[in-house]
Amino acid sequence: MDNSLSQYKNLADWAIRAHADEDNPTLASQKDAALAELNRKLGTHYERKHIDNWLAGRKPVPRTVFAFWFDMLIEVEVQFDHEQLGLELRRLFK
């Protein structure tokens, strides 16, 4: 996987595409996996239409979802290689 964040359209795109569990994931399976994780971790009931709207920029990503994905982004993209920096960024943004 390329480590450049510029390849992603927005945070929703990163959350959907950056960490697929399958060897050859489809966009649909990536969306389903992102939704399942989101609903499980946040106790929500978002559906595919929600993630499609966020991905296309038709609707804003809810604050709780944005905060969850932003925290994941810092953990995966920063903290993995720079543990202390990632921890401090996550602390500052909470």
Side-chain angles (χ1 to χ4, degrees), residues 5 7-19 34 51 54-57 61-74 77:
L5 292 176
Q7 68 181 330
Y8 302 106
K9 179 170 128 177
N10 54 33
L11 185 59
D13 188 36
W14 175 87
I16 292 166
R17 298 174 188 269
H19 307 290
I51 210 162
W54 303 334
L55 186 59
V61 176
R63 287 180 190 238
T64 55
V65 174
F66 187 90
F68 174 72
W69 282 344
F70 190 71
D71 188 58
M72 277 180 45
L73 181 128
I74 292 171
E77 301 293 345

Side-chain angles (χ1 to χ4, degrees), residues 1-2 6 11 16 19 21 27 36 38 45 67 70-71 75 80:
M1 178 176 74
D2 182 60
S6 64
L11 185 59
I16 292 166
H19 307 290
D21 291 335
L27 181 56
L38 189 64
H45 300 285
F70 190 71
D71 188 58
E75 179 181 3
F80 183 77

Side-chain angles (χ1 to χ4, degrees), residues 72-88:
M72 277 180 45
L73 181 128
I74 292 171
E75 179 181 3
V76 171
E77 301 293 345
V78 177
Q79 191 172 337
F80 183 77
D81 291 325
H82 307 281
E83 184 174 356
Q84 207 50 42
L85 175 60
L87 290 170
E88 285 300 310

Side-chain angles (χ1 to χ4, degrees), residues 45-64:
H45 300 285
Y46 291 114
E47 299 173 7
R48 178 77 69 83
K49 66 182 178 182
H50 296 107
I51 210 162
D52 286 341
N53 284 330
W54 303 334
L55 186 59
R58 290 186 295 264
K59 299 277 184 171
V61 176
R63 287 180 190 238
T64 55

Side-chain angles (χ1 to χ4, degrees), residues 22-42:
E22 304 170 33
D23 289 334
N24 295 307
T26 64
L27 181 56
S29 69
Q30 290 174 316
K31 288 178 182 179
D32 290 343
L35 279 172
E37 178 182 34
L38 189 64
N39 286 330
R40 184 179 66 253
K41 297 233 174 146
L42 297 182

